[in-house]
Amino acid sequence: MSSSGDGAAVGGPYPQQGSTADHTIRQPAAPAAVAGDGMASAKDIGYRGPTACAAAGITYRQLDYWARTGLVEPSVRPAYGSGTQRLYSFRDVVLLKIVKRFLDTGVALQNIRTTVQHLRARGFQDLERMTLMSDGATVYECSSPAEVVDLLQRGQGVFGIAVGVVWRDVDAALSQLHGERVDTGETLIGNNPADELARRRNRAG
């Protein structure tokens, strides 16, 4: 996938080297379960704005601006007005961190917007082997090391973001923070050994 300077998608994914039979399709490991009174799966958990900011390494002002402009909106629960809290999914937080990394390297916001739309549309398939490459003007999706090398040899890739690495970084960060059950609103403590020890002491007391 490439995105042009005006934000329009150009073509499909960057051509693969060799046949699809050369690759084993893998998904990244599922985000860590969060413990509360019971175990909740990743899709049942939302993260409030401050938690999403901490895990993605962004400010609340950036989070708020990106939500209001539609760059990265919370897919679990938007803000309906005063008193309501946005809830972000695990994948939303991954997108936030990817956006932050692209901004830090000087990629134009419109190109980042196109990339985010592309990632949402493709459903986060094959993240484990996806690398997003950019020369600062265009963003390319690569799904094999050969594609990355090819782009670098052409001078079209100056830096890259390994999406699977971002996924694991966000998972590690969120495992130390608090989530919220989507169905009940219960605050859940991250998968932190210290928190588990505290829970055991509370039950024993």
Side-chain angles (χ1 to χ4, degrees):
M1 180 275 297
S2 64
S3 59
S4 68
D6 60 5
V10 179
Y14 192 76
Q16 294 195 7
Q17 307 294 320
S19 69
T20 55
D22 298 334
H23 305 294
T24 300
I25 307 298
R26 294 182 297 156
Q27 284 285 74
V34 177
D37 291 337
M39 296 303 289
S41 66
K43 64 181 174 55
D44 297 324
I45 303 169
Y47 301 95
R48 295 193 176 196
T51 300
C53 288
I58 62 175
T59 66
Y60 194 85
R61 174 178 287 187
Q62 287 175 308
L63 182 83
D64 183 61
Y65 178 72
W66 296 348
R68 288 188 290 105
T69 58
L71 179 60
V72 181
E73 299 176 281
S75 62
V76 177
R77 186 175 68 210
Y80 293 110
S82 60
T84 61
Q85 291 278 348
R86 296 186 184 106
L87 276 186
Y88 290 81
S89 71
F90 176 84
R91 290 180 176 182
D92 294 337
V93 181
V94 171
L95 281 179
L96 290 170
K97 194 171 184 72
I98 288 173
V99 170
K100 171 68 162 53
R101 291 196 175 182
F102 271 133
L103 284 175
D104 287 347
T105 51
V107 176
L109 188 60
Q110 189 57 55
N111 288 345
I112 296 173
R113 186 179 298 275
T114 303
T115 302
V116 169
Q117 292 170 349
H118 173 78
L119 288 173
R120 284 203 183 280
R122 79 193 304 279
F124 282 77
Q125 297 298 310
D126 307 335
L127 286 182
E128 186 71 19
R129 59 191 180 91
M130 182 196 298
T131 300
L132 297 173
M133 300 290 295
S134 180
D135 55 9
T138 305
V139 177
Y140 303 88
E141 174 196 323
C142 301
S143 57
S144 73
E147 292 176 15
V148 173
V149 171
D150 188 36
L151 274 178
L152 291 172
Q153 288 176 340
R154 297 185 190 185
Q156 293 173 291
V158 177
F159 61 88
I161 297 174
V163 181
V165 172
V166 175
W167 180 290
R168 289 188 290 275
D169 286 349
V170 169
D171 184 25
L174 289 176
S175 72
Q176 306 299 315
L177 300 168
H178 291 181
E180 181 176 314
R181 284 192 71 105
V182 175
D183 52 356
T184 65
E186 174 193 3
T187 298
L188 302 174
I189 300 173
N191 186 22
N192 187 326
D195 292 330
E196 175 60 26
L197 181 59
R199 282 194 294 272
R200 291 179 181 177
R201 286 174 178 168
N202 288 338
R203 286 196 296 267

